[in-house]
Amino acid sequence: MTQIVVLDGYTVNPGDNPWDALAALGNLAVYDRTPAEALLERARDADILLTNKTPLPASALSQLPRLKFISVLATGYDLVDTRAARARGIPVSNVPEYATDSVAQHVFALLLCLTQHLKEHDAAVHAGAWIRSPDFSFWYRAPLELAGLRMGIVGFGRIGRRVAELSRAFGMEVLVTSRKRPAENELARARFVSLTELFAAADVVSLHCPLTAETEWMVNTSILRRMKPTAFLINTARGRLVDETALAQALREEWIAGAGLDVLSAEPMHPDNPLRNARNCIITPHIAWASLAARRRLMQETVRNVRAFLSGHSIHVVN
């Protein structure tokens, strides 16, 4: 019987998203988390490996002679050495679309928290400031209306396009940059510009590009210096797109107005991360993808990936 091993299944199914459909396809072993030192022991007899965030480097793949297929429980697949897998004839599949709406929604949750100053006003009300107020309304900083502002989107895949749609619903102008210029029909009421022009002109910059050798640390001191002092940076893509030391300085010295982040360069967050106590910086613990609806779609598509491989016609292959 086909041996299927899930290396880190807890975040996909903490108890509300059963593995039953996957278990029907073979002999299934699910581990909540797999530390590096346990990887080879747990994966040794696997025909199929599923991973969310457990790295699969070439050194590990070379010691797994039975392995025939890898399915990543996510869209990003940079944790797998896809070249080494290809050299071994091991297809690697991902789930290219499952959290589009959830991530786009989270972009605006972060942005609205920043522009409406929700955290500080909620804290003030609970501390009694409204009880003591002589007026029916008070604010420390006035809310910022999004209509008429420019949303700059870096990367124009499914999520980027969905963010563009929501931006227009808020009455925002949309600027776009990406590695390849989108077709004119995809740009619909968006303007394609260079990366540097986008950072200089946008009131909000939202990152939706993959992590590659070209994009790693692309949000650095130089590009942050180009932003308006009233602008916001939102990152729900990959943490290593952003030089966190540079961003902390930009926030501290008010080069920009604020940042909303769902991803960091190292996860879980390191205690000495320079953004931990940064001014006007909202950080959520990589949860934009994690709605139950999105995780159910992730499970369904992963089952499709495995079933397709077993039938001899793999889908969503990235290598």
Side-chain angles (χ1 to χ4, degrees):
M1 180 176 278
T2 301
Q3 303 296 310
I4 305 171
V5 175
V6 179
L7 294 170
D8 49 357
Y10 181 79
T11 54
V12 175
N13 174 28
D16 57 359
N17 192 24
W19 299 100
D20 297 4
L22 187 64
L25 301 179
N27 184 21
L28 178 66
V30 178
Y31 299 96
D32 283 349
R33 303 164 190 87
T34 294
E37 61 271 18
L39 172 61
L40 293 179
E41 178 185 352
R42 293 178 178 181
R44 181 176 53 221
D45 297 325
D47 300 295
I48 296 173
L49 274 182
L50 276 65
T51 181
N52 187 317
K53 290 292 181 288
T54 301
L56 293 175
S59 58
L61 297 178
S62 66
Q63 299 179 71
L64 300 173
R66 285 194 52 167
L67 185 60
K68 302 178 183 68
F69 178 60
I70 297 168
S71 188
V72 181
L73 290 155
T75 300
Y77 50 88
D78 46 282
L79 74 163
V80 179
D81 190 323
T82 54
R83 289 185 178 181
R86 183 174 59 198
R88 286 268 315 278
I90 301 170
V92 178
S93 292
N94 72 338
V95 181
E97 184 175 10
Y98 70 95
T100 299
D101 288 330
S102 291
V103 175
Q105 174 180 304
H106 199 79
V107 167
F108 280 89
L110 292 170
L111 179 57
L112 290 169
C113 193
L114 287 164
T115 58
Q116 305 305 109
H117 315 299
L118 296 183
K119 288 175 63 178
E120 61 217 86
H121 288 105
D122 174 72
V125 168
H126 282 91
W130 204 9
I131 295 170
R132 298 186 295 271
S133 174
D135 302 306
F136 76 96
S137 171
F138 76 93
W139 55 88
Y140 299 124
R141 287 185 291 167
L144 178 66
E145 187 171 275
L146 295 181
L149 299 185
R150 287 174 172 169
M151 168 65 82
I153 299 171
V154 182
F156 208 52
R158 294 177 181 89
I159 297 173
R161 292 195 295 272
R162 186 68 175 125
V163 170
E165 293 172 2
L166 296 178
S167 300
R168 287 191 289 266
F170 275 98
M172 303 180 77
E173 178 185 348
V174 178
L175 306 178
V176 171
T177 194
S178 61
R179 184 172 56 88
K180 293 182 179 179
R181 184 187 178 97
E184 289 304 318
N185 63 313
E186 292 179 326
L187 279 172
R189 291 184 293 135
R191 184 157 61 91
F192 188 81
V193 297
S194 69
L195 181 70
T196 53
E197 183 180 351
L198 183 143
F199 270 82
D203 298 292
V204 182
V205 175
S206 190
L207 305 181
H208 299 288
C209 52
L211 178 66
T212 66
E214 291 73 30
T215 61
E216 188 171 29
W217 316 125
M218 71 174 186
V219 182
N220 51 31
T221 297
S222 175
I223 204 82
L224 287 165
R225 284 284 197 184
R226 292 178 178 272
M227 294 180 72
K228 300 176 182 179
T230 54
F232 299 93
L233 176 71
I234 307 293
N235 186 12
T236 56
R238 283 290 183 267
R240 295 207 309 275
L241 298 174
V242 177
D243 180 333
E244 291 165 346
T245 299
L247 178 57
Q249 182 182 7
L251 292 165
R252 182 174 64 252
E253 298 182 8
E254 301 187 7
W255 305 349
I256 65 173
L261 312 170
D262 187 53
V263 288
L264 294 175
S265 60
E267 298 171 351
M269 183 182 198
H270 287 179
D272 60 351
N273 187 295
L275 295 170
R276 184 177 179 184
N277 298 306
R279 181 194 68 88
N280 211 26
C281 182
I282 296 171
I283 303 174
T284 52
H286 206 139
I287 60 171
W289 68 284
S291 70
L292 179 57
R295 288 185 289 110
R296 283 177 172 167
R297 287 191 292 269
L298 175 60
M299 184 71 77
Q300 291 163 2
E301 285 302 298
T302 297
V303 170
R304 283 189 65 223
N305 282 350
V306 173
R307 187 179 290 125
F309 168 75
L310 293 173
S311 72
H313 303 283
S314 294
I315 59 175
H316 301 147
V317 176
V318 298
N319 67 333

